[in-house]
Amino acid sequence: MADYDIIIKAQDKTGNTLNKVDKNLKKIEKSSGGVTKALGLAGGALAAIGAGQILKGIVNQYTAFEKYRTVLAVYTGSQAAANKELDRLKILAKSLPQDLSDLTEGFVLFKSRGIDTSSKALTAFSNIATANGKSMTQLGEAVADALTGEFERMKEFGIKVAKENDKFVADIGNGQSIIANSSQDLVNKLQALGEVGGKFGKAAEENNKTLNQSFSNLSGSIFSTSVVIGEKLRPEMKKAIDQLTEWIDKNDELAAKIGVGLGD
């Protein structure tokens, strides 16, 4: 994403600098094989990328969506399955405090460790994270550690785990504890804390009444709209970016000449 920031900043630095560029382009026009025309096309691509903060936001969110889709395809086995899961997560995110990004990161962490990623399970994990002021990603990392016998991060969620006589004993506060036969069994039982009737079972429901949830829903709607727009813009934007990249790669010498002029 840093490249977009550079492009936008570059557009703002007009005036004398652009005048110098123009003068140097004219000087080497004849020897460059029509570079002005080439730069004109490049400028069009730059304009398409950095037309403003709104477009930048759409690009950022769409590229994030592409990343989620790619990662999910790895863990679900196919792009079709990934798309189906992503659609499910988008809908689920509208009812939970976590946004799609956090929910997807959590999904990947759970899925890669063989943990239940059904909507019921993710809602339970959301309740645990929300009740403790943590993200789904943080909970996913803590649970991943717990599966390897590392329980330090579970303390961030008010859960202290100790091993006693080949059993895992989790102190969940208020004099309550959970006893499990294995780390996997422990994770399953901890999940129940976020289900209906569990210690954290109503956290997401309570959050629905807050302004925070309203902003989360708004963010989700903006994200979905950005994806729709991004899907339409993607072919032309990718073509423009690829052409610009190819032109830059082939014109290092020309770029050096322009740079010399800027230093005059």
Side-chain angles (χ1 to χ4, degrees):
M1 300 304 171
D3 291 340
Y4 301 150
D5 294 333
I6 292 171
I7 290 168
I8 291 171
K9 289 178 181 177
Q11 287 182 318
D12 293 335
K13 294 181 179 179
T14 56
N16 292 332
T17 300
L18 291 181
N19 287 334
K20 289 182 179 180
V21 173
D22 184 60
K23 289 179 181 179
N24 280 278
L25 288 176
K26 289 178 180 178
K27 290 179 181 179
I28 59 177
E29 171 70 22
K30 293 183 180 180
S31 62
S32 65
V35 69
T36 299
K37 182 178 180 181
L39 278 183
L41 294 175
L46 292 178
I49 297 171
Q53 290 299 316
I54 293 178
L55 181 57
K56 179 188 174 185
I58 291 173
V59 170
N60 287 348
Q61 293 193 316
Y62 182 72
T63 52
F65 173 79
E66 283 191 314
K67 182 190 73 173
Y68 302 149
R69 191 161 56 184
T70 300
V71 172
L72 288 178
V74 173
Y75 288 102
T76 59
S78 71
Q79 192 60 66
N83 292 342
K84 184 177 180 180
E85 286 288 28
L86 197 51
D87 286 340
R88 177 173 72 90
L89 293 176
K90 284 193 290 186
I91 294 172
L92 186 60
K94 293 181 179 180
S95 65
L96 299 176
Q98 292 76 22
D99 60 20
L100 181 61
S101 175
D102 189 31
L103 191 59
T104 304
E105 293 287 351
F107 174 94
V108 171
L109 284 166
F110 295 133
K111 187 77 172 178
S112 64
R113 269 76 175 182
I115 300 171
D116 186 5
T117 55
S118 65
S119 294
K120 178 182 178 181
L122 290 176
T123 298
F125 289 130
S126 170
N127 281 329
I128 296 173
T130 301
N132 291 279
K134 302 293 183 179
S135 69
M136 187 75 91
T137 303
Q138 289 173 307
L139 176 60
E141 291 171 345
V143 169
D145 284 350
L147 287 174
T148 64
E150 298 291 334
F151 303 107
E152 186 64 28
R153 297 191 65 175
M154 293 304 299
K155 293 179 181 178
E156 298 176 18
F157 298 87
I159 301 170
K160 298 179 180 179
V161 182
K163 195 170 184 179
E164 300 178 8
N165 300 321
D166 295 326
K167 300 283 187 180
F168 292 96
V169 180
D171 179 357
I172 61 175
N174 298 323
Q176 296 179 292
S177 62
I178 295 174
I179 300 176
N181 296 316
S182 66
S183 56
Q184 180 66 63
D185 184 34
L186 177 62
V187 169
N188 293 338
K189 290 183 176 180
L190 290 177
Q191 176 184 321
L193 294 176
E195 295 176 353
V196 177
K199 180 179 180 179
F200 306 121
K202 292 186 177 182
E205 180 182 340
E206 290 300 316
N207 191 79
N208 279 333
K209 305 172 184 178
T210 67
L211 184 60
N212 177 65
Q213 184 63 47
S214 294
F215 275 117
S216 179
N217 292 341
L218 175 61
S219 177
S221 295
I222 293 174
F223 184 90
S224 296
T225 301
S226 295
V227 169
V228 172
I229 296 173
E231 286 287 329
K232 297 294 183 181
L233 294 178
R234 181 184 179 280
E236 290 304 317
M237 288 186 67
K238 187 177 188 308
K239 181 180 178 181
I241 293 169
D242 289 345
Q243 287 178 341
L244 177 59
T245 301
E246 181 181 2
W247 182 88
I248 291 173
D249 289 342
K250 292 180 178 179
N251 290 275
D252 289 344
E253 184 178 347
L254 174 60
K257 291 179 180 180
I258 296 174
V260 171
L262 290 177
D264 292 343

